[in-house]
Amino acid sequence: MKLTDKIAASEDVVTREVEGETVLLDLASGTYFGLNAVGGRVWELIDGDGLTLDQICGCIETEFEVARKVVDGDITALA
């Protein structure tokens, strides 16, 4: 994926917050995923207003005070 791409959450994924962790259940495969605070925030941004990966990276860079190069690499790897 490129940073200019927009991504959206799958309708097959159910999300809940459990004890401060974002938990995702992929209904199609039955697989659970646990996300830390940063991953949870990325998920919120993906599940929101149709932002590009670049816009999501900018939010994470600002909110978590992480170097942009690190954010770009981590988020493109996740996507």
Side-chain angles (χ1 to χ4, degrees):
M1 297 198 88
K2 298 175 291 190
L3 290 174
T4 55
D5 291 341
K6 288 186 179 184
I7 58 174
S10 170
E11 293 182 11
D12 291 333
V13 177
V14 177
T15 309
R16 296 288 182 268
E17 187 169 323
V18 179
E19 297 181 13
E21 179 180 62
T22 301
V23 178
L24 310 175
L25 170 60
D26 182 341
L27 298 173
S29 68
T31 304
Y32 282 94
F33 301 91
L35 303 176
N36 64 15
V38 177
R41 180 63 177 133
V42 170
W43 185 259
E44 287 175 4
L45 294 167
I46 289 170
D47 201 27
D49 297 325
L51 300 176
T52 65
L53 287 176
D54 185 58
Q55 291 168 314
I56 291 169
C57 289
C59 290
I60 297 302
E61 175 188 23
T62 301
E63 292 176 21
F64 291 91
E65 298 179 0
V66 179
R68 182 59 187 250
K69 185 175 180 177
V70 172
V71 175
D72 289 353
D74 288 351
I75 289 181
T76 54
L78 177 64

